[in-house]
Amino acid sequence: MPSEKQTAVKYYVGVDVGSASVRAALVDGFGTVLAHAEQPIQVWEPQPDHYEQSSADIWAACCSVTKEVARGVDASQIRGLGFDGTCSLVVVDKQFQPLAVNCEGQNHRNVIMWMDHRAASQVERINATQHRVLNYVGGAMSVEMQPPKLLWIKENLPESWEKVGYFFDLPDFLSWKATGVTARSLCTVVCKWTYTADRGWDDSFWKMIGLEDLVKDKYEKIGNHVLSPGEAVGKGLKPEAAKDLGLPEGIAVAASLIDAHAGGLGVIGADVKGHNLPCENQPITSRVAMICGTSSCHMGVSETPIFVPGVWGPYFSAMVPGLWLNEGGQSATGKLIDHVVRGHVAFPELEAKAAASAHSIYTYLNSHLDLIKKSLPVGFLTVDLHVWPDFHGNRSPLTDLTLKGMVVGLTLSRGLDELALIYLATIQAIALGTRHILEAMQAAGHDITTLFLCGGLSKNPLFVQMHADITGKPVVLSKEVESVLVGAAILGACASGDFASIQEAMAKMGKIGRVVQPNHEHKRFYDKKYKVFLKLVEHQREYRSIMNSL
């Protein structure tokens, strides 16, 4: 028979919808991940810069992974459910059926992904308005936000536009599927749709950009009922969804978060006592959470609004209640590393050797760099090789969608050594981009001393060390690698009423594991790399100016 102590354990389920897969975790009240499951989801790329998904495919994957992690646990001990997801746009008709976001009329492809850049001309026109709402997105809206995508649908898919019942941010679609309630999260509408916590929607903005039809129905299509992240939605898990997910009917379902914000929630509030970190005994505002996967997000909070040119926000209560959020970001990081490595002529050789050694390709590349570095620090191998990482445009702090990637220092060599070097230079470029973002945030008034990393790339020790060395700041890794899932579970824990606040749940459930210190002896080298890094974009803009003058 189980003891009283065992039966008293409370569990929470966190579900995370990423770009390529859906994951779920069963988490206890101390933030320990007890079970984990993952399932891939489909992505369509019908033409360049168009990325689409299916909400039905995503929900089916949510159900599959949630059933798996809940299996074998006393259902009565599962207290709450929290969702997070990419800030992709889900389109459904008035009966909540999927509606095509493509010219082919394929209704099952009803999601425009966050990384879709089809609305480039629409966002350019929106930014030309210089409307006051743009002050809260770093001065210029990103093509990855929802208003330009809505405008693209209206201008390019008039039939779909006429049939639309609801536009959801993906995290809000998930909470609707679970509860039947169309309430939106403050996180999504503030960060991606121009809603503000104090004024709500700004009618003049939507009218100015040509989407006045959204105002006419009192914003029913995009949300006129907004909840704080972690707040309980409706009456909890509805019967149909409970059956699909394998969870008890009526358990608390939380207002959701965007995936990066869930990762921030999972790490940024952790207790750091005893680790000799500069943020110890300092407010949480001295920390930046960096969530690094397909793309990377840099989340910093402040007690008063800080306007950072080229960095999204300030957003009030969008991640941590009562604090303002600034969000920097890089549109392609994990995706860029994968692109560079898999596109190299030596990739088949790498793949074969990694498989023969029973290692991942990235573990093998890290070991290979150690072999070829000889007496040098590994980072110094790129003294003549430099990368500008904006292969998918610059999100922060330059907010220039048109920027392209650059590599300087190529030779005719085609072997595994050269692949390892371009891999290293790409990781360094991403870290230099992080330094660029942090400097913009600090120049505007943030006081940042410590980085907290989570997400898939935080599992790569070379990626972590380069970020410490290049930024000159210690990097804290969470005890649980799956911090985004812990963040989603924190939402469920708050919705259940088992914690008095998000802050209390963050402190109890967010645990730190390892600390990686910067090697200050390498500072001079990386300061020089950073000067070269900034010169690269100067040169790109200069040669583009020359070509545009023809």
Side-chain angles (χ1 to χ4, degrees):
M1 290 290 288
S3 68
E4 274 189 40
K5 186 174 180 182
Q6 286 174 311
T7 56
V9 173
K10 295 173 180 176
Y11 300 117
Y12 313 96
V13 173
V15 179
D16 163 53
V17 180
S19 299
S21 68
V22 175
R23 303 177 304 148
L26 184 74
V27 182
D28 68 16
F30 300 100
T32 304
V33 174
L34 303 167
H36 172 266
E38 183 169 6
Q39 183 168 312
I41 49 178
Q42 194 161 357
V43 176
W44 287 269
E45 189 182 352
Q47 54 185 289
D49 286 335
H50 288 231
Y51 296 92
E52 298 168 8
Q53 290 181 312
S54 158
S55 63
D57 178 49
I58 289 168
W59 182 250
C62 289
C63 295
S64 176
V65 293
T66 303
K67 278 180 177 173
E68 190 172 333
V69 299
R71 191 176 293 126
V73 176
D74 182 349
S76 67
Q77 293 174 262
I78 299 176
R79 301 270 301 154
L81 170 64
F83 292 100
D84 73 74
T86 64
C87 49
S88 299
L89 178 67
V90 183
V91 185
V92 297
D93 66 17
K94 294 171 180 66
Q95 287 74 46
F96 295 95
Q97 295 304 303
L99 203 54
V101 295
N102 49 76
C103 298
E104 297 87 350
Q106 299 289 315
N107 282 327
H108 66 286
R109 285 162 37 200
N110 68 318
V111 179
I112 299 180
M113 287 186 72
W114 65 271
M115 61 184 180
D116 186 298
H117 284 188
R118 71 181 68 182
S121 70
Q122 285 77 13
V123 80
E124 189 176 333
R125 279 181 273 141
I126 289 171
N127 286 328
T129 68
Q130 298 186 325
H131 193 279
R132 59 178 173 261
V133 300
L134 301 179
N135 293 333
Y136 289 86
V137 290
M141 182 168 285
S142 166
V143 71
E144 295 170 11
M145 292 178 178
Q146 309 302 11
K149 291 173 180 172
L150 297 176
L151 191 55
W152 186 92
I153 292 172
K154 182 177 181 180
E155 292 176 350
N156 292 273
L157 303 175
E159 286 187 21
S160 285
W161 185 262
E162 288 303 316
K163 294 177 183 175
V164 166
Y166 302 90
F167 294 105
F168 286 103
D169 219 278
L170 179 55
D172 295 323
F173 170 82
L174 300 172
S175 60
W176 167 74
K177 282 291 286 185
T179 65
V181 176
T182 60
R184 307 309 205 273
S185 166
L186 187 66
C187 173
T188 59
V189 293
V190 164
C191 296
K192 306 300 173 187
W193 299 73
T194 74
Y195 187 90
T196 58
D198 56 344
R199 295 191 308 273
W201 297 113
D202 189 321
D203 293 359
S204 67
F205 169 70
W206 297 101
K207 291 173 181 176
M208 184 178 285
I209 68 170
L211 293 176
E212 61 283 343
D213 16 2
L214 298 177
V215 180
K216 287 175 188 171
D217 66 0
K218 298 181 180 177
Y219 298 101
E220 185 180 0
K221 286 189 174 81
I222 61 173
N224 49 24
H225 180 204
V226 178
L227 299 174
S228 294
E231 195 173 338
V233 180
K235 296 178 181 177
L237 194 59
K238 65 181 184 180
E240 182 187 348
K243 183 180 177 184
D244 291 344
L245 293 163
L247 295 175
E249 181 183 333
I251 65 165
V253 176
S256 56
L257 280 173
I258 297 165
D259 53 353
H261 301 64
L265 208 64
V267 296
I268 202 169
D271 185 352
V272 298
K273 283 176 187 166
H275 290 271
N276 194 31
L277 287 163
C279 64
E280 187 174 343
N281 300 319
Q282 296 297 314
I284 194 174
T285 53
S286 64
R287 309 175 181 191
V288 159
M290 185 175 160
I291 299 85
C292 27
T294 304
S295 62
S296 291
C297 295
H298 308 71
M299 323 292 278
V301 292
S302 57
E303 292 180 359
T304 57
I306 299 176
F307 293 85
V308 186
V311 172
W312 298 343
Y315 303 132
F316 185 66
S317 287
M319 185 173 78
V320 181
L323 295 178
W324 294 84
L325 171 70
N326 283 108
E327 180 185 350
Q330 295 160 295
S331 293
T333 50
K335 186 175 179 66
L336 174 61
I337 295 168
D338 220 36
H339 172 79
V340 167
V341 170
R342 292 179 180 275
H344 196 278
V345 69
F347 178 70
E349 180 188 353
L350 166 66
E351 196 171 33
K353 287 184 173 178
S357 66
H359 287 122
S360 75
I361 57 173
Y362 296 115
T363 300
Y364 190 89
L365 279 173
N366 292 350
S367 300
H368 192 76
L369 285 166
D370 283 334
L371 284 176
I372 64 176
K373 72 182 178 69
K374 299 177 182 173
S375 61
L376 285 172
V378 70
F380 289 24
L381 287 169
T382 59
V383 64
D384 291 322
L385 184 61
H386 310 281
V387 172
W388 179 263
D390 291 330
F391 285 50
H392 198 49
N394 183 281
R395 186 190 298 172
S396 304
L398 302 178
T399 59
D400 188 344
L401 171 65
T402 67
L403 284 175
K404 304 292 190 287
M406 301 172 72
V407 182
V408 175
L410 293 173
T411 70
L412 291 175
S413 300
R414 295 154 50 93
L416 195 54
D417 287 2
E418 285 66 40
L419 170 51
L421 290 177
I422 192 67
Y423 158 72
L424 171 61
T426 302
I427 286 177
Q428 289 176 332
I430 292 166
L432 290 161
T434 290
R435 177 168 166 173
H436 200 195
I437 292 166
L438 296 180
E439 286 190 358
M441 292 174 73
Q442 289 173 152
H446 281 276
D447 182 16
I448 300 160
T449 66
T450 313
L451 297 182
F452 287 68
L453 259 64
C454 69
L457 290 176
S458 70
K459 301 173 190 176
N460 184 334
L462 180 66
F463 184 89
V464 174
Q465 190 64 59
M466 287 299 104
H467 274 77
D469 289 352
I470 286 170
T471 65
K473 300 183 189 302
V475 172
V476 177
L477 301 174
S478 60
K479 185 177 179 183
E480 291 292 346
V481 175
E482 307 297 350
S483 295
V484 176
L485 285 167
V486 172
I490 284 173
L491 296 174
C494 289
S496 74
D498 291 343
F499 291 92
S501 66
I502 288 271
Q503 287 90 333
E504 182 189 344
M506 284 166 57
K508 291 270 180 68
M509 296 176 71
K511 305 289 183 187
I512 77 167
R514 197 161 61 91
V515 174
V516 176
Q517 295 287 351
N519 188 329
H520 294 295
E521 291 179 8
H522 300 169
K523 181 179 184 302
R524 188 163 171 266
F525 177 80
Y526 289 117
D527 283 349
K528 288 183 175 182
K529 285 282 288 187
Y530 187 56
K531 283 183 180 177
V532 173
F533 180 79
L534 297 179
K535 284 287 183 187
L536 290 177
V537 73
E538 274 184 41
H539 290 320
Q540 182 172 161
R541 285 176 162 170
E542 185 179 351
Y543 75 64
R544 288 170 70 180
S545 175
I546 292 168
M547 295 307 295
N548 289 337
S549 67
L550 292 176

